[in-house]
Amino acid sequence: MPAKLPTEVQKFEAYIKKTYEGVVFELMVTHNLLVRKAVELTWIIVNDRKQGVGTAIMRELCEFADRNAAEISLKPASNVDYAATTSRGRLVRFYMRFGFVVEKTKPTEFMIPTMRRKPVC
């Protein structure tokens, strides 16, 4: 993987945190053997819901990933596991609006689905 992507991810992360004060936002460059460039959204917490902040951040993240030809992966949290303020189903629908799809895996009782979005070039 080119060394440029981790540096660009750090800059983008800092930009989001500065632009959207009070938002918890964290990315991680992952090593996916099937995809040369992959970024994992590990945290996004927006306190003031229903104000368009989460939507704006996700748009910027998708544009960033497209510019860098990077896949994005994430695991939607849930208010049941105290890492979200809404249901997992609602978050899945939210992320699907940005082109994320639920990865096909064998379901288990405690499975948190992984969602992926391929870059649009």
Side-chain angles (χ1 to χ4, degrees):
M1 179 180 305
K4 181 180 175 190
L5 187 61
T7 302
E8 293 300 316
V9 167
Q10 288 174 346
K11 288 179 186 177
F12 180 73
E13 196 175 69
Y15 160 78
I16 292 293
K17 290 176 180 177
K18 182 178 179 184
T19 304
Y20 302 95
E21 276 187 42
V23 169
V24 176
F25 184 79
E26 188 174 301
L27 296 171
M28 179 173 63
V29 176
T30 59
H31 300 283
N32 184 335
L33 297 177
L34 301 175
V35 180
R36 288 203 324 249
K37 295 181 180 180
V39 177
E40 182 177 350
L41 176 59
T42 53
W43 285 103
I44 180 169
I45 301 172
V46 177
N47 293 323
D48 297 326
R49 290 184 44 229
K50 302 281 188 184
Q51 305 296 314
V53 175
T55 298
I57 291 171
M58 289 306 297
R59 275 194 198 118
E60 291 201 54
L61 174 59
C62 291
E63 290 169 5
F64 169 80
D66 292 346
R67 279 192 311 272
N68 288 281
E71 178 181 279
I72 308 168
S73 67
L74 58 85
K75 289 183 179 273
S78 169
N79 55 355
V80 174
D81 44 45
Y82 306 105
T85 57
T86 190
S87 71
R88 183 168 290 125
R90 188 171 184 193
L91 284 172
V92 166
R93 290 188 300 278
F94 173 75
Y95 293 128
M96 288 176 99
R97 290 179 19 209
F98 300 96
F100 285 83
V101 294
V102 176
E103 190 174 75
K104 304 282 185 207
T105 58
K106 292 182 182 179
T108 63
E109 187 176 347
F110 301 105
M111 184 186 86
I112 299 174
T114 296
M115 298 185 76
R116 296 192 187 283
R117 180 186 180 276
K118 295 193 182 301
V120 178
C121 298

